[in-house]
Amino acid sequence: MSLYIVRAASWQEDALALRAVREAVFIREQGVPAELEWDEFDGVCLHLLAMNPSGNPIGTARLLPDASIGRMAVLRDWRCKGVGSALMDRLLKEAENRQLPSVTLNAQTHATGFYSKFGFQQAGPEFLDAGIPHVKMMLQFRPR
């Protein structure tokens, strides 16, 4: 039996599970103010949800209509177990299926090495978002 599954999710049907992970990681663990965490884009994004064998949410990420990836979060106890990589692999497949030429994301600076493994490259200077250092990163897809 697999340690976890990753599936497509929708805000309309899966908001409680998606919110649970983001609240644990961004709001409680990292101290992001709740008013900065929730935005008008959740309703129009492709969301992914990672779940443990009991069906509990353990990770999430989203792809926005403008080809940016965001709100990638994995619960502390599930980090370094491949959940983040599984989420990113699935998001990149979805982006390629949509024939997007590239995707961008705003990476917390401590996580740039993780994103670099997938081919992302820094595309701007460091900046603060919710008081946390970030850099913009971009991945260009190879033409088919």
Side-chain angles (χ1 to χ4, degrees), residues 30-106:
Q30 297 182 353
V32 172
E35 60 271 13
L36 295 180
E37 177 56 28
W38 313 117
D39 60 29
E40 68 275 16
F41 301 113
D42 278 319
V44 296
C45 290
L46 164 69
H47 292 271
L48 295 182
L49 184 61
M51 297 166 53
N52 70 13
S54 301
N56 297 314
I58 60 170
T60 186
R62 70 182 189 179
L63 178 64
L64 285 86
D66 70 356
S68 62
I69 292 171
R71 302 305 198 267
M72 186 156 179
V74 175
L75 296 181
R76 185 186 303 269
D77 290 346
W78 286 89
R79 293 182 195 148
C80 301
K81 296 180 180 180
V83 177
S85 292
L87 287 164
M88 183 56 70
D89 284 337
R90 179 77 180 267
L91 273 182
L92 294 177
K93 283 184 180 76
E94 292 288 343
E96 283 190 287
N97 288 343
R98 294 172 184 214
Q99 300 182 345
L100 300 174
S102 64
V103 289
T104 61
L105 55 81
N106 292 331

Side-chain angles (χ1 to χ4, degrees), residues 103-118:
V103 289
T104 61
L105 55 81
N106 292 331
Q108 293 184 7
T109 55
H110 71 84
T112 57
F114 170 80
Y115 296 114
S116 294
K117 291 188 303 185
F118 294 91

